[in-house]
């Protein structure tokens, strides 16, 4: 059984990761996340285990960065 | 105390009343500054606080902002910014320039980008050393000092506000290393009112920073029973080396400080 929700790391507050989901914000212990997880990473929850969706993370990062750059250049 | 020449240059007499409102948005920051009919908003809290913020701003009959500053892109500081952009006319929107790897991918930030594009918002990069006016108050951007950081908190826009003999500082969530950069850039000395960095976290209010600003009043914007232990006892102890006049939004609700250029008056919601 594979369960995937939209979950994005907003920030870290000490040992707590603050994660934005389409249903609101959740807080998860950093120890539950992959070691390389960082702000802006898109997470997937598979069989109760968090993984980083590298492709989705980079795609969202690139798109947001392009849009922000255009705002500054306007 | 040695004051920088910049501070002396910014000192002017004040005829208008300056009001700084630290709006209680739970765990987050939202500061509304008015002087002589001009307005500045620094951060807006979480998206879930948007209606609360709108109610507070309506009560003060604020319909537009000359400046909106997003200190840094974390949801507790700019989660509700899409609503602010949609609901108010904004003269200039100021935020830090971010390295591509640090640009947020979050849904609230995407909504902010949507709103900014829709409104053709004028967005400018925060540059340390830039000065501006708000009524007869003067402000100066004092951070970020560097172009890139390894920690998003350290991109926080820092602003010092001067009104007659009174001064205020807002540093977002800037941590000790960014505080050190600000101090080393020599743009400010003593500050009367300190909005505690990072909600009173131990990452901020470093000894060097507190020795430099030696504040008379501190305001901590934090949520009651927050999960992060804000404010932290270490930061509180650093602040208490200079003042016991500490106002916390989790205890006082919104905090309003008015300046006539000489005296400061503090009013708490509860």
């Amino acid at each position: 059984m594979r369960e995937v929700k939209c979950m994005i790391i907003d920030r870290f507050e000490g040992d707590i990761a603050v994660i934005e989901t389409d249903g609101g914000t959740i807080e998860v212990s950093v120890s539950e996340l992959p070691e390389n997880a960082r702000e802006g990473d898109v997470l997937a929850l598979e069989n109760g285990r968090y993984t980083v969706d590298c492709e989705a993370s980079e795609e969202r990062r690139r798109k947001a960065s392009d849009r922000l750059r255009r705002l500054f250049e306007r | 105390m040695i004051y920088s020449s910049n501070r002396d240059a910014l000192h002017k007499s004040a005829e208008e009343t300056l009001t700084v409102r630290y709006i209680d948005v739970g765990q987050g920051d939202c500061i509304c500054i008015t002087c002589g009919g001009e307005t500045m908003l620094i951060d807006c809290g979480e998206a879930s606080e948007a209606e609360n913020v709108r109610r507070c701003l309506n009560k003060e009959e604020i319909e537009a902002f000359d400046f909106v500053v997003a200190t840094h892109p974390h949801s507790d500081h700019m989660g509700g910014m899409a609503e602010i952009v949609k609901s108010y006319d904004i003269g200039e929107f100021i935020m830090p320039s971010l390295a591509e790897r640090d640009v947020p991918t979050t849904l609230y930030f995407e909504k902010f980008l949507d709103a900014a594009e829709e409104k053709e918002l004028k967005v400018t990069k925060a540059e340390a050393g830039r000065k501006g006016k708000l009524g007869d108050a003067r402000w100066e951007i004092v951070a970020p000092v560097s172009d890139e950081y390894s920690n998003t908190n350290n991109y926080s826009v820092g602003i010092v506000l001067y009104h007659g003999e009174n001064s205020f500082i807002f540093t977002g969530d800037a941590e000790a290393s960014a505080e050190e950069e600000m101090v080393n850039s020599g743009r400010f000395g003593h500050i009367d009112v300190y909005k505690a960095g990072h909600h009173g976290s131990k990452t901020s209010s470093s000894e060097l920073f507190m020795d430099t600003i030696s504040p008379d009043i501190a305001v901590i914007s934090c949520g009651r029973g927050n999960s992060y232990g804000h404010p932290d006892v270490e930061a509180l102890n650093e602040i208490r080396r200079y003042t016991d006049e500490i106002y916390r939004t989790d205890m006082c609700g919104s905090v309003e400080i008015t300046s006539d250029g000489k005296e400061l008056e503090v009013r708490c919601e509860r």
Side-chain angles (χ1 to χ4, degrees), chain A residues 6-27 38-42 56-74, chain B residues 27 46 73-76 95-110 112-117 119-126 151-153 173 198-199 201 227-228 230:
Chain A
C6 180
M7 293 180 291
I8 301 170
I9 301 175
D10 178 61
R11 66 189 189 278
F12 295 99
E13 296 281 2
D15 294 332
I16 298 171
V18 181
I19 296 170
E20 183 191 46
T21 76
D22 35 17
T25 299
I26 59 169
E27 295 172 350
R38 61 190 185 97
E39 280 182 19
D41 277 347
V42 178
S57 304
E58 285 317 306
E59 191 184 340
R60 289 187 68 83
R61 211 167 259 132
R62 196 178 54 251
K63 277 187 184 167
S65 179
D66 284 348
R67 293 179 73 187
L68 183 60
R69 184 173 38 77
R70 284 198 294 274
L71 278 184
F72 279 129
E73 286 170 356
R74 180 174 287 157
Chain B
Q27 183 65 18
E46 296 278 359
H74 280 158
S75 68
D76 54 336
M95 66 177 287
S97 174
L98 305 159
E100 180 171 332
R101 66 168 190 277
D102 297 319
V103 173
T105 62
T106 38
L107 303 171
Y108 84 81
F109 194 74
E110 204 168 53
F112 159 71
L113 292 171
D114 291 343
E117 288 168 359
K119 288 274 291 257
E120 297 187 354
L121 186 68
K122 183 186 178 192
V123 181
T124 52
K125 295 175 186 176
N151 176 339
T152 304
N153 285 340
D173 284 357
H198 199 180
H199 321 285
S201 164
S227 316
Y228 320 125
H230 297 161

Side-chain angles (χ1 to χ4, degrees), chain B residues 142-198:
Chain B
V142 296
V145 175
S146 302
D147 293 331
E148 288 193 25
Y149 294 93
S150 58
N151 176 339
T152 304
N153 285 340
N154 287 337
Y155 281 101
S156 289
V157 179
I159 292 191
V160 176
L161 180 70
Y162 299 100
H163 187 243
E165 295 172 11
N166 297 320
S167 53
F168 300 71
I169 191 165
F170 312 91
T171 58
D173 284 357
E175 301 189 359
S177 60
E179 289 178 341
E180 187 179 350
E181 277 189 327
M182 283 185 244
V183 169
N184 290 341
S185 65
R187 290 194 164 90
F188 54 86
H190 167 73
I191 301 285
D192 298 294
V193 184
Y194 171 50
K195 202 289 294 174
H198 199 180

Side-chain angles (χ1 to χ4, degrees), chain B residues 10-46:
Chain B
L10 285 159
H11 255 284
K12 306 281 181 194
S13 63
E15 291 176 2
E16 292 152 344
T17 300
L18 169 78
T19 304
V20 180
R21 292 182 185 84
Y22 304 80
I23 298 173
D24 178 14
V25 290
Q27 183 65 18
D29 269 11
C30 181
I31 300 126
C32 178
I33 304 166
T34 55
C35 189
E38 297 193 314
T39 51
M40 175 185 277
L41 183 75
I42 301 178
D43 292 336
C44 64
E46 296 278 359

Side-chain angles (χ1 to χ4, degrees), chain B residues 161-260:
Chain B
L161 180 70
Y162 299 100
H163 187 243
E165 295 172 11
N166 297 320
S167 53
F168 300 71
I169 191 165
F170 312 91
T171 58
D173 284 357
E175 301 189 359
S177 60
E179 289 178 341
E180 187 179 350
E181 277 189 327
M182 283 185 244
V183 169
N184 290 341
S185 65
R187 290 194 164 90
F188 54 86
H190 167 73
I191 301 285
D192 298 294
V193 184
Y194 171 50
K195 202 289 294 174
H198 199 180
H199 321 285
S201 164
K202 63 184 173 188
T203 61
S204 309
S205 305
S206 58
E207 184 179 351
L208 171 71
F209 193 72
M210 298 314 295
D211 285 346
T212 303
I213 66 171
S214 59
D216 302 320
I217 297 172
V219 180
I220 302 176
S221 189
C222 61
R224 189 183 297 198
N226 67 79
S227 316
Y228 320 125
H230 297 161
D232 189 276
V233 68
E234 282 178 43
L236 282 172
N237 286 341
E238 277 299 328
I239 295 168
R240 284 194 187 116
R241 288 198 299 118
Y242 286 98
T243 182
D244 285 322
E245 198 173 343
I246 300 172
Y247 300 92
R248 297 170 48 163
T249 58
D250 59 339
M251 293 178 169
C252 305
S254 296
V255 177
E256 180 180 295
I257 303 182
T258 51
S259 160
D260 62 4

